[in-house]
Amino acid sequence: MADDCLFCRIARQEIPVQLIHESDDCVAFRDIKPQAPVHVLVVPREHIASLNDARDPGLIGRLSLVAAEIAEREGIATTGYRTVMNTNADAGQTVFHVHLHLLGGRSMAWPPG
Ligand code: 5GP
Ligand code: ZN
């Protein structure tokens, strides 16, 4: 837990953001600046700065399965979606509390920019 971390504060509901998923170890909510019709962030409750600092394979795996559940619920499981975890500067990470982006609802280019 980090007092000054935005995503810790959202996970603790100190900042009122509507959660679309809540479980023992993670929460999910819509990105404030969506890059696709569906853009959800799946965030562990535990403060982990980036994937470089993650140690629990179960937790990291569960973030992906939660994203898949939300994709199903949002109606994009069949059409397709992308899950992305940006790590550090070259990937454009801006919030240093690990999170999985779930993006879908439009077709996407590859390779990513
Ligand atoms: P990153 O760039 O670290 O991979 O992703 C951080 C994401 O968090 C960005 O897509 C950004 O729009 C989103 N974000 C930043 N601040 C807030 C906020 O206060 N609320 C929500 N819902 N999303 C946020
Ligand atoms: Zn945090």
Side-chain angles (χ1 to χ4, degrees), residues 24-70:
D24 284 353
D25 55 8
C26 69
V27 298
F29 49 90
R30 294 187 197 281
D31 198 290
I32 203 168
K33 200 179 157 198
Q35 302 299 321
V38 176
H39 187 173
V40 170
L41 303 173
V42 187
V43 176
R45 291 184 187 275
E46 182 187 351
H47 181 80
I48 301 166
S50 82
L51 189 57
N52 288 341
D53 306 292
R55 297 292 176 267
D56 179 351
L59 175 63
I60 296 301
R62 281 192 294 281
L63 301 180
S64 290
L65 294 182
V66 166
E69 271 177 32
I70 295 169

Side-chain angles (χ1 to χ4, degrees), residues 6-7 10 15 17 29-35 39 41 85-86 91-96 99 101:
L6 175 64
F7 286 179
I10 289 175
I15 298 172
V17 170
F29 49 90
R30 294 187 197 281
D31 198 290
I32 203 168
K33 200 179 157 198
Q35 302 299 321
H39 187 173
L41 303 173
M85 205 176 262
N86 293 321
Q93 184 178 3
T94 58
V95 176
F96 288 85
H99 51 281
H101 294 258

